[in-house]
Amino acid sequence: MNYSKKPFYNGFFTSVKPCQMNLRSLPCFLLALILVTSCSQSPVFKGYETVFKIGDQLEWAAKNWNDEGWKSGRFVVDSGRVFWSRTKIDILKAPESLHPYGLQLHVYGEYEVFWDGVLIGKNGNPGQEELLGPEGKMWATFSIPTHLTEAGEHLLALRSSLHYFPNHTRIEELDIAYYDDLLTDRLIESSYMHLFAGAFLIAAFYFLFLFLSDKKEYAMLIFSISCFLFFLLILAEFIKAYVPIHYSLHVIRLQIIGILMLGISFLIPFYFSMQFPFPKRKLLLIIYAGVLLFIFLSKYDYFELTANNMTLSMWLFSFGIAVFGGYRKMRGARLVLLALLLSVLISFVTSFNKSLFAGFSLILLSMFYLLSLRIKEQRLAYETSLVQSTRLRLELLKKNIQPHFLMNTLTSLIDWVEESPKKGVLFIEALAKEFDLFNQIENQTLIPIAQEIALCRAHLEIMAYRKEVNYFWEEEGIDPEQKIPPAILHTLLENGITHSLPLEDNSIKFKLIFESNSQYKCFTFLTFAAAVRQASGDREEGTGLKYIKARLTESYHSNWDFTSEPTNHGWKNVLKIYT
């Protein structure tokens, strides 16, 4: 009866591999991803069904022992009791000279290995686990003497004990190949995968720092966490190649991998839902999270089944979101659909173990593509804001030197020179000071708040001569170290003068209040006047407000908020800059 491998725990999922095949894995890059694929040689052995018997007789290691009454399949052995397993194996061709075969086992328990009745290795202390404590490792490789590997029938016998998991009596994995290859192939595969993991670690930190610089971009945070969890998943899967793990700790490793899978399975659809918003998004995400938790908790001890179900749920929910995005013709949805379909195609041509990492890599790459589109849009918006800011800055400067402004100012100047030459001189000095300040700041992105206040005071001095209105300026809580885009407050001041009427005492008062906390800095600009000539909703947004918003976008991107509204005392402008 041919021995076909039962499903075995390889990480957290089932990987089916005929034991007569000698698989040697070689990672490679595909579409900028490292996809681990299997490269196999011609088979060198064929295995038959493994049989078991509880008890301890050294004669059971003999090649010709009659084992017809032994049990097959899984059974439970009392904790700590010794039991034997026997597996008939056909060596199809003898090894090359000076190049012996090796035996690689993935078996729960501590055991001694006999080949044709000869002890070839030991992994722990079978029957003495409770007395001597845990020894040995879950994955072990043994060299088979060359004279015992001639072509023909042979027998593998294991003398084992299971103190920690008495129901895991089966052989999880058995492979026979050249001994040197068995030792090096897994390390080579792991080294490539760790380089692969390093790329995701770098991406995780990179996008975390981007998020910290712009805390409104939660998509960057979700992508960063997803990359970091995938990095940990690769480490947890391939750490077995170079860190000896006793079988008593193997389940802890599987539980850690299951938790990582749970996080990734939720975050990926959550990320897609942020990129392709759909109706009742929060409700469906809550339901999906409940489904994942049910899958994770209901079959907690069946790690491979749990991982399969979580992966399938993640794929189905992500596919549904991408289909909705494609239906609504959202940007990037078609590429996400392609990545999801390719991940399914890969699962048909490779084992689930390898297809999982390849599939996740493609999905994360599609997530990165969506994020790059978002960053590109932000960059274009920023460049547009720079152009708009430059144009508006020139328009604002032109507004201050336009013929209408100059004519009114010169007319007022002539009157003051005729009536009071001394005040006329002061008028000229105030006008020169304002133009000088404009020349100093108009090419800068941020200026000290003290310089902005000086500009506002100079403008009030000019307008007091022109309109013969008493203008007052007050400040509260001003921090001289703070900076602000140039002419922001000057623009608000000019709007307040233009759209306000003086009080009964022929005065208008302006007050600037500064407040700050750990979340934002707030500038409140108040105008105290008799009335406002036009409500903001009744007039089109003018050059001044466009200039303010363009300047804020230029300096703070989207991390700002600006409101302007009438009040009982006049007008109120609130500018918040988020930190």
Side-chain angles (χ1 to χ4, degrees):
M1 179 177 180
N2 286 339
Y3 169 58
S4 61
K5 284 295 294 179
K6 298 291 182 66
F8 64 93
Y9 291 119
N10 186 6
F12 51 90
F13 43 78
T14 301
S15 175
V16 180
K17 180 180 73 173
C19 69
Q20 67 265 27
M21 296 297 292
N22 176 25
L23 298 184
R24 290 193 283 175
S25 302
L26 177 65
C28 60
F29 280 95
L30 176 61
L31 298 175
L33 296 171
I34 300 178
L35 301 182
V36 183
T37 59
S38 298
C39 302
S40 61
Q41 293 180 339
S42 58
V44 301
F45 80 104
K46 180 170 65 174
Y48 296 86
E49 185 176 34
T50 301
V51 293
F52 303 88
K53 186 173 183 179
I54 298 175
D56 190 11
Q57 295 185 33
L58 193 58
E59 295 83 357
W60 293 349
K63 179 178 179 180
N64 298 321
W65 182 267
N66 185 1
D67 55 17
E68 288 185 359
W70 289 37
K71 297 180 180 179
S72 61
R74 180 185 295 190
F75 68 97
V76 178
V77 62
D78 294 338
S79 178
R81 289 197 62 184
V82 173
F83 67 97
W84 284 71
S85 66
R86 290 167 57 88
T87 306
K88 292 181 180 180
I89 293 175
D90 285 343
I91 297 296
L92 303 181
K93 62 180 180 179
E96 298 175 3
S97 178
L98 301 179
H99 199 184
Y101 283 151
L103 171 68
Q104 191 171 77
L105 292 172
H106 173 194
V107 178
Y108 280 87
E110 298 186 13
Y111 52 87
E112 295 173 349
V113 183
F114 296 86
W115 183 269
D116 288 346
V118 178
L119 179 66
I120 63 171
K122 185 178 180 180
N123 185 36
N125 304 290
Q128 303 180 60
E129 295 180 68
E130 189 172 6
L131 179 63
L132 300 179
E135 291 188 23
K137 52 188 179 181
M138 189 75 180
W139 294 266
T141 305
F142 307 93
S143 177
I144 306 174
T146 304
H147 69 277
L148 297 178
T149 51
E150 300 91 352
E153 184 178 296
H154 298 269
L155 183 94
L156 169 66
L158 300 182
R159 177 179 177 267
S160 310
S161 65
L162 277 169
H163 176 68
Y164 297 97
F165 300 104
N167 62 333
H168 287 65
T169 53
R170 70 185 185 274
I171 297 177
E172 305 288 340
E173 179 182 352
L174 184 156
D175 196 10
I176 297 175
Y178 287 109
Y179 181 66
D180 292 341
D181 293 340
L182 290 176
L183 291 177
T184 58
D185 284 356
R186 191 182 292 271
L187 288 175
I188 292 172
E189 179 186 40
S190 299
S191 65
Y192 276 103
M193 289 304 295
H194 280 72
L195 289 174
F196 187 38
F200 284 97
L201 179 63
I202 294 172
F205 279 110
Y206 175 74
F207 285 100
L208 175 62
F209 293 146
L210 285 182
F211 168 75
L212 292 177
S213 66
D214 187 1
K215 294 182 180 179
K216 287 186 176 182
E217 291 297 328
Y218 291 103
M220 290 185 181
L221 178 63
I222 300 302
F223 182 72
S224 172
I225 296 174
S226 299
C227 288
F228 186 69
L229 291 181
F230 191 58
F231 161 77
L232 294 178
L233 183 65
I234 295 174
L235 286 189
E237 172 59 24
F238 288 91
I239 196 173
K240 62 189 180 184
Y242 51 88
V243 175
I245 300 175
H246 190 262
Y247 80 95
S248 61
L249 302 176
H250 181 53
V251 170
I252 297 177
R253 169 179 166 271
L254 296 181
Q255 291 170 347
I256 292 173
I257 292 176
I259 294 172
L260 295 174
M261 272 292 299
L262 175 65
I264 294 173
S265 297
F266 176 76
L267 288 178
I268 289 177
F270 180 56
Y271 176 88
F272 287 140
S273 71
M274 297 175 69
Q275 302 293 340
F276 311 125
F278 50 88
K280 299 182 179 180
R281 172 175 168 265
K282 292 183 178 179
L283 176 62
L284 291 176
L285 283 173
I286 291 173
I287 294 174
Y288 174 66
V291 170
L292 282 181
L293 285 174
F294 175 77
I295 293 172
F296 179 73
L297 297 175
S298 62
K299 296 293 184 181
Y300 188 69
D301 293 333
Y302 293 85
F303 301 103
E304 70 277 12
L305 177 62
T306 299
N308 286 342
N309 290 337
M310 286 194 295
T311 303
L312 179 61
S313 301
M314 179 274 296
W315 190 92
L316 289 175
F317 197 50
S318 299
F319 187 78
I321 295 172
V323 168
F324 177 81
Y327 173 74
R328 290 296 183 89
K329 297 182 179 179
M330 297 181 183
R331 195 175 182 184
R334 291 182 179 179
L335 185 135
V336 173
L337 281 173
L338 178 62
L340 291 170
L341 293 174
L342 282 176
S343 67
V344 174
L345 178 62
I346 291 173
S347 68
F348 284 109
V349 298
T350 63
S351 67
F352 187 75
N353 184 340
K354 297 174 178 62
S355 67
L356 182 73
F357 287 102
F360 270 154
S361 301
L362 283 172
I363 293 172
L364 288 172
L365 184 61
S366 68
M367 294 168 65
F368 175 74
Y369 174 74
L370 293 178
L371 205 55
S372 66
L373 290 179
R374 191 180 187 92
I375 293 173
K376 181 181 179 181
E377 291 174 355
Q378 291 176 343
R379 179 177 58 81
L380 291 176
Y382 175 67
E383 292 175 353
T384 302
S385 73
L386 290 179
V387 175
Q388 184 182 23
S389 176
T390 302
R391 180 177 60 81
L392 291 171
R393 184 169 62 240
L394 294 175
E395 288 184 5
L396 190 68
L397 185 61
K398 182 177 67 176
K399 180 180 179 182
N400 284 275
I401 61 174
Q402 61 181 320
H404 178 71
F405 174 80
L406 288 176
M407 287 297 298
N408 289 338
T409 301
L410 291 175
T411 300
S412 299
L413 179 59
I414 292 171
D415 292 339
W416 280 109
V417 169
E418 292 177 349
E419 296 179 9
S420 177
K422 291 184 178 180
K423 288 189 176 181
V425 172
L426 295 176
F427 191 0
I428 294 172
E429 290 178 349
L431 183 63
K433 183 179 180 181
E434 182 174 18
F435 280 128
D436 181 57
L437 288 171
F438 260 114
N439 288 334
Q440 293 178 27
I441 69 174
E442 65 100 11
N443 286 322
Q444 298 185 41
T445 304
L446 293 172
I447 63 171
I449 187 67
Q451 196 171 15
E452 179 74 8
I453 292 174
L455 179 65
C456 292
R457 288 182 178 276
H459 189 69
L460 285 180
E461 192 174 350
I462 293 173
M463 298 310 294
Y465 286 113
R466 276 189 50 187
K467 294 183 175 288
E468 298 187 31
V469 175
N470 297 319
Y471 295 103
F472 298 96
W473 177 271
E474 293 184 2
E475 303 163 13
E476 182 179 318
I478 299 301
D479 180 5
E481 301 297 325
Q482 296 297 322
K483 290 190 174 183
I484 195 171
I488 293 290
L489 299 180
H490 179 276
T491 303
L492 295 176
L493 177 71
E494 189 178 52
N495 285 345
I497 294 173
T498 304
H499 301 293
S500 300
L501 297 175
L503 298 171
E504 293 181 359
D505 60 354
N506 195 38
S507 68
I508 296 178
K509 184 175 72 174
F510 300 95
K511 185 173 183 179
L512 178 63
I513 303 172
F514 175 74
E515 300 172 300
S516 66
N517 54 39
S518 59
Q519 297 180 343
Y520 60 83
K521 296 181 293 185
C522 179
F523 292 92
T524 303
F525 189 80
L526 303 174
T527 301
F528 295 89
V532 178
R533 294 178 180 174
Q534 278 186 311
S536 61
D538 298 330
R539 67 175 187 273
E540 184 180 351
E541 187 176 83
T543 301
L545 291 180
K546 290 180 180 179
Y547 170 80
I548 291 173
K549 293 179 180 180
R551 275 294 201 176
L552 291 173
T553 301
E554 176 188 9
S555 298
Y556 307 109
H557 303 289
S558 60
N559 297 326
W560 59 271
D561 187 30
F562 175 72
T563 59
S564 183
E565 58 185 2
T567 61
N568 294 331
H569 58 71
W571 202 269
K572 179 180 180 181
N573 303 279
V574 178
L575 169 61
K576 286 185 178 180
I577 302 169
Y578 296 97
T579 56

